[in-house]
Amino acid sequence: RLFRDRFVGVVRSGHPLAGRDVTLEDYTAWSHVAASRRGVFTGPVDDAIAQHGVSRNIAAVVPGFPAALAVARGTDLVALVPASFLINLPGIAGLTWFELPVATRPITVSQMWHPRLDADPAHRWLRQFVLAECRARMPEG
């Protein structure tokens, strides 16, 4: 395991949800852009808000988080991205993020490799380097 992550909401600067604590009512009142490589519209946040008897309106589905952020920057749609995705991201200007009004399971980000590479010195160095960088940027606690 490299680190644990969580989802956050992202809106354009100047959006009515920007810069405040977002309630479940606020969150579901706005339409959303979903990032999905497979065109799946729902995920863990939808399961969490369904427990409160509400749902969110997915107005657009895009193939990845960069596209979701671009849509959020240019519209009033709300994007959902892992918090780690916003670290050192060029072009974060024009966007603001907020904690979700519901709890979702943490996201575990791991590195994996084929067992035949366990003893390879260069591969071992790379794995340790990636682990150290992730732990430094995403300390758990």
Side-chain angles (χ1 to χ4, degrees):
R1 180 179 83 208
L2 296 173
F3 61 91
R4 291 206 190 277
D5 205 350
R6 71 191 191 290
F7 284 109
V8 295
V10 180
V11 293
R12 66 172 174 79
S13 299
H15 189 285
L17 296 181
R20 65 186 199 128
D21 290 335
V22 175
T23 67
L24 184 57
E25 184 178 51
D26 296 331
Y27 186 70
T28 56
W30 292 91
S31 293
H32 296 249
V33 55
S36 174
R37 291 185 315 264
R38 295 183 200 113
V40 176
F41 286 55
T42 60
V45 74
D46 299 287
D47 297 339
I49 63 176
Q51 293 178 2
H52 297 275
V54 294
S55 62
R56 62 186 181 135
N57 176 44
I58 305 295
V61 178
V62 295
F65 297 124
L69 293 175
V71 170
R73 182 181 289 117
T75 68
D76 278 341
L77 297 181
V78 178
L80 180 71
V81 302
S84 64
F85 194 78
L86 302 175
I87 295 174
N88 296 322
L89 182 68
I92 194 68
L95 295 169
T96 187
W97 66 272
F98 58 86
E99 295 291 345
L100 297 178
V102 292
T104 58
R105 289 189 330 246
I107 304 164
T108 300
V109 178
S110 301
Q111 62 179 339
M112 298 178 353
W113 57 92
H114 194 280
R116 74 173 163 246
L117 296 172
D118 277 342
D120 181 273
H123 198 270
R124 184 180 303 140
W125 175 87
L126 179 61
R127 292 191 312 260
Q128 291 303 315
F129 178 80
V130 169
L131 178 63
E133 285 298 306
C134 288
R135 296 268 167 93
R137 295 174 188 273
M138 296 293 292
E140 297 196 27

